[in-house]
Amino acid sequence: MTDQLDAAGRLRHLLTLDGLPAPMLQRLIERARTFVPPAAAAAPRGRELEGRTVANLFMEPSTRTRVSFELAARRLGADVVNIEGSAASTVKGETLLDTVYTLQAMRTDLFVIRTAESGAPAEVARRVADDVAVVSGGESHLSHPTQGLLDTLTILQRKPDLDRLVVCIVGDIAHSRVARSAAQALRTLGVRELRLVSPPELKPAPHEFPGATWDSGLDRMLVDADVIMALRIQKERMSATEIPGASAYREQYGINRTRLARARPDAIVMHPGPMNRGIEIESDVADGPQSVIWTQVANGVAVRMAVLLTLAGRSQAR
Ligand code: CP
């Protein structure tokens, strides 16, 4: 893996949360808190990235991540270009690296890359100029670091004592970069207990989630949970034989009000989006009082402002 840190131990790229030290995670999260506007207040804006250019290269579909990186960059004064896989010259045979070199020649300072190709963001990070940074906007099933940060921020806003929390992640763990990045951040920051629930065919390799417990029985795993995170079935990463039937999945793994009652009364419900309502989560839970799903979305902009400023900021930011 490309070293994400420079020789002085500062963040140089953000490709994964795996291995990042707790103080660095805490600094990013604390910085993100400064960009969370009070209720009903206007979105915070600054000029810190004026003269900088951020390129969003999204080779897989995205709504939340791409738009929030764009808003984050614009709210800090940067120029932004958006390249989407279906509309890029990669469909004419250009490699991702040549696309990066092309945009780098136009003085891009930071690339956000979403790709289904494992290792691609690290490869780009190895090849860009010394003063150019790379951020993963989601890499295959492996990593979604800014999602992990925004999920952790959302949990900490409601429940500051991670060392007392039981977090239960439910769904397609095997194919989920969201689960991996959340687990890495929560483990590093000292979560008390991490439970993983999935159908047996979507069970992750244990070494990818050290310290977590896995079970296929949702009802018993929800008991006394403080945080429930429902995941989408990642059909795009499965073979036809692996894909569970929607109604059977809903029956066994869907988060509904009856199931939610097994968790702690003040448990929060999360989902990274996009949601499949009526499959992994019922609408009355997604839109109910325990849901923090829209807070996750809002925090996404704040986290991405913090990350962009840390990596592309002119001053002491790195
Ligand atoms: N959570 C997430 O990554 O959503 P998008 O695919 O819409 O970016």
Side-chain angles (χ1 to χ4, degrees):
M1 189 191 73
T2 301
D3 194 354
Q4 304 183 98
L5 309 183
D6 66 15
R10 296 172 303 184
L11 199 61
R12 165 87 179 80
H13 306 285
L14 181 59
L15 308 176
T16 176
L17 300 182
D18 193 18
L20 286 190
M24 187 169 283
L25 295 178
Q26 284 157 344
R27 276 198 300 275
L28 286 166
I29 290 168
E30 289 314 307
R31 193 168 213 174
R33 281 187 203 270
T34 69
F35 293 115
V36 176
R45 289 174 187 276
R47 308 307 311 167
E48 293 91 333
L49 297 188
E50 202 163 52
R52 300 297 175 106
T53 299
V54 172
N56 291 318
L57 304 187
F58 276 64
M59 302 299 141
E60 286 190 308
S62 171
T63 297
R64 280 144 288 270
T65 310
R66 197 200 63 69
V67 172
S68 59
F69 267 113
E70 178 169 357
L71 288 175
R74 290 193 192 284
R75 287 176 185 171
L76 291 168
D79 295 329
V80 182
V81 292
N82 294 305
I83 306 271
E84 289 174 19
S86 59
S89 285
T90 46
V91 298
K92 294 188 269 185
E94 182 171 80
T95 64
L96 178 63
L97 265 179
D98 278 333
T99 303
V100 167
Y101 291 145
T102 301
L103 293 168
Q104 184 172 268
M106 299 181 200
R107 305 299 296 265
T108 293
D109 299 286
L110 186 144
F111 290 93
V112 181
I113 297 179
R114 169 169 287 197
T115 175
E117 207 181 314
S118 299
E123 176 66 7
V124 172
R126 277 191 288 273
R127 301 296 192 96
V128 290
D130 287 346
D131 57 352
V132 172
V134 177
V135 179
S136 166
E139 175 187 355
S140 64
H141 64 290
L142 288 176
S143 183
H144 197 346
T146 54
Q147 181 75 43
L149 290 171
L150 78 87
D151 288 339
T152 306
L153 169 60
T154 306
I155 293 170
L156 289 171
Q157 284 171 331
R158 300 297 182 104
K159 299 179 178 294
D161 298 322
L162 272 187
D163 60 349
R164 299 172 67 173
L165 296 188
V166 174
V167 177
C168 186
I169 306 181
V170 183
D172 181 3
I173 310 284
H175 299 98
S176 177
R177 55 194 176 204
V178 172
R180 283 169 178 74
S181 288
Q184 288 155 3
L186 293 172
R187 187 176 66 247
T188 301
L189 296 176
V191 74
R192 181 181 136 208
E193 188 179 341
L194 179 63
R195 300 177 185 168
L196 307 173
V197 183
S198 74
E201 58 270 39
L202 300 177
K203 180 181 178 179
H207 72 270
E208 293 194 273
F209 292 88
T213 52
W214 173 88
D215 199 306
S216 61
L218 176 57
D219 287 344
R220 54 184 172 267
M221 292 290 262
L222 285 177
V223 172
D224 290 337
D226 299 282
V227 177
I228 301 163
M229 185 187 295
L231 300 174
R232 181 177 68 87
I233 294 284
Q234 309 256 317
K235 288 183 182 168
E236 67 275 27
R237 303 191 205 290
M238 295 182 195
S239 63
T241 53
E242 282 181 293
I243 297 173
S247 60
Y249 185 85
R250 177 189 194 186
E251 185 78 20
Q252 291 182 57
Y253 295 101
I255 304 298
N256 55 37
R257 282 170 56 180
T258 307
R259 289 218 163 97
L260 183 53
R262 303 180 77 86
R264 290 179 60 88
D266 61 349
I268 58 172
V269 177
M270 307 176 73
H271 193 302
M275 284 186 276
N276 289 301
R277 291 171 181 260
I279 300 180
E280 71 264 13
I281 191 166
E282 296 302 313
S283 279
D284 56 1
V285 174
D287 301 326
Q290 289 170 263
S291 169
V292 293
I293 291 169
W294 307 120
T295 304
Q296 289 175 266
V297 175
N299 285 339
V301 181
V303 159
R304 283 149 188 149
M305 289 175 84
V307 168
L308 293 180
L309 201 48
T310 299
L311 292 173
R314 286 197 175 92
S315 58
Q316 75 297 346
R318 281 188 193 166

